Amino acid sequence: MQLFDELKTISKKHIKANKKAGEKVPSGLWISCPKCQQSIYHKDLGKYKTCPNCYYGFRIHARERLEWLVDTFQEFDTDLETKDPLNFPGYKEKLIKAQQDSKLNDSVLTGIAMIDDVEFALGIMDPYFIMGSMGTVTGEKITRLFERATQKNLPVILFAASGGARMQEGISSLMQMSKISQAVKEHSNAGLLYITVITDPTTGGVTASFAMQGDIILSEPRALLGFAGKRVIEQTIHQKVPDDLQDAETVLKNGFIDNIIKREDQKEKLAWLVKIHSMKGAF
Ligand SMILES: [Zn+2]
């Protein structure tokens, strides 16, 4: 019994240490789901890193998602480098650390992907690259992704994840919203399909632009989707708001997104969606 008590104490310690949403999937034996608080044995998260109880998708690097999402991938624009236009204190060091951790030049991975014989342009934002913030290189990479997709007559699938515009680049970050939106519009004018998949968390300028401009907007279960954070909303309207206000399930109920898609189903369902939308004149 003493051993059992000790194990329980260790588990509680792990759970307490990892309770905060957004922490990297910890390496301990037991972790707690930040959404349903279920204790999960580490190995039960599986390759998709999802909660077996509520299907919440833990935050993962863009390259980790790529491994199980597509069959082939040809990457674009790995040589673009973010400048430090404001000479923001500590920004260069932060960038280098984020680049080393994510193996990306900025907060989005872009390229052409295939699932079976279905080809599409793919963007995956990395929630760990300075909180998935949108800097000038993020904006440029996404804009070029849409421009290439328009040229090649390809649909776009974009996995959104962001804390918003990157404050270290000031107004240059905010300007990416209109630049990307222009490229999205040109892609749409060419009659091409754009699917967004919201992942945890998607907020700020990314929500206010390309994350919500998809023809089909999907979300992972329990992902947070909003513009301003809950605390900012409460301070502005001087009212408490429900805990699940910005959960994908609430947002779906209120009509802002089209459906919720589990990670294990994404490869098959996204390929199917692209396929049925490419059957022009078939019906
Ligand atoms: Zn859960």
Side-chain angles (χ1 to χ4, degrees):
M1 283 306 283
Q2 197 195 341
L3 178 66
F4 181 69
D5 285 343
E6 275 174 18
L7 278 175
K8 252 192 349 196
T9 315
I10 292 167
S11 303
K12 273 187 184 161
K13 261 193 216 161
H14 274 291
I15 289 165
K16 211 173 169 190
N18 300 312
K19 206 154 193 170
K20 216 176 125 204
E23 284 183 350
K24 277 195 178 178
V25 177
S27 54
L29 280 179
W30 290 91
I31 56 164
S32 174
C33 171
K35 295 291 175 171
C36 72
Q37 270 72 52
Q38 173 105 350
S39 303
I40 312 163
Y41 183 56
H42 186 250
K43 286 192 173 159
D44 290 342
L45 289 177
K47 74 166 173 176
Y48 298 110
K49 301 278 194 301
T50 51
C51 168
N53 184 47
C54 72
Y55 299 104
Y56 166 69
F58 281 76
R59 296 177 191 178
I60 52 173
H61 279 297
R63 291 202 186 278
E64 194 177 347
R65 182 181 295 278
L66 190 67
E67 278 173 29
W68 48 256
L69 185 69
V70 298
D71 295 327
T72 66
F73 186 69
Q74 182 203 339
E75 192 172 347
F76 294 151
D77 301 317
T78 53
D79 55 339
L80 292 178
E81 268 183 52
T82 295
K83 301 285 176 218
D84 184 5
L86 303 179
N87 225 354
F88 200 94
Y91 183 37
K92 280 195 180 106
E93 292 75 15
K94 237 182 183 163
L95 268 176
I96 292 167
K97 170 98 180 46
Q99 285 163 345
Q100 285 168 347
D101 286 352
S102 64
K103 298 182 181 58
L104 286 172
N105 55 342
D106 215 288
S107 63
V108 68
L109 172 73
T110 55
I112 302 275
M114 298 267 285
I115 300 174
D116 295 327
D117 59 344
V118 179
E119 191 180 28
F120 54 93
L122 174 67
I124 306 176
M125 295 189 77
D126 193 312
Y128 292 123
F129 197 105
I130 316 184
M131 292 171 68
S133 55
M134 175 175 54
T136 47
V137 170
T138 320
E140 183 62 23
K141 284 179 83 172
I142 296 173
T143 303
R144 290 185 185 192
L145 180 74
F146 276 93
E147 287 173 349
R148 285 196 181 102
T150 307
Q151 273 169 12
K152 290 176 181 283
N153 224 21
L154 286 176
V156 175
I157 298 179
L158 198 137
F159 285 77
S162 188
R166 190 172 302 161
M167 66 166 191
Q168 290 92 338
E169 293 188 26
I171 192 76
S172 309
S173 293
L174 290 174
M175 286 163 66
Q176 304 310 310
M177 292 166 64
S178 58
K179 186 171 84 176
I180 298 168
S181 297
Q182 176 67 27
V184 171
K185 179 67 177 151
E186 280 167 17
H187 183 257
S188 172
N189 287 349
L192 297 163
L193 175 70
Y194 172 32
I195 300 174
T196 52
V197 185
I198 306 298
T199 72
D200 186 61
T202 299
T203 63
V206 169
T207 300
S209 61
F210 59 91
M212 301 303 283
Q213 288 169 339
D215 301 301
I216 300 171
I217 305 173
L218 305 170
S219 173
E220 296 199 325
R222 309 299 303 266
L224 185 151
L225 170 63
F227 179 66
K230 189 169 165 264
R231 218 176 331 146
V232 175
I233 299 171
E234 288 181 339
Q235 283 165 3
T236 308
I237 65 171
H238 304 292
Q239 268 182 50
K240 286 287 278 177
V241 297
D243 280 343
D244 65 353
L245 176 77
Q246 296 173 317
D247 271 13
E249 287 70 11
T250 309
V251 177
L252 173 68
K253 206 165 64 188
N254 292 327
F256 281 92
I257 60 172
D258 297 303
N259 216 336
I260 289 172
I261 184 167
K262 284 187 227 161
R263 279 192 186 157
E264 63 200 64
D265 299 332
Q266 287 173 7
K267 186 172 181 178
E268 191 191 333
K269 288 193 175 164
L270 288 171
W272 176 77
L273 276 172
V274 170
K275 210 165 187 169
I276 59 164
H277 283 86
S278 64
M279 293 175 177
K280 280 181 190 165
F283 300 103

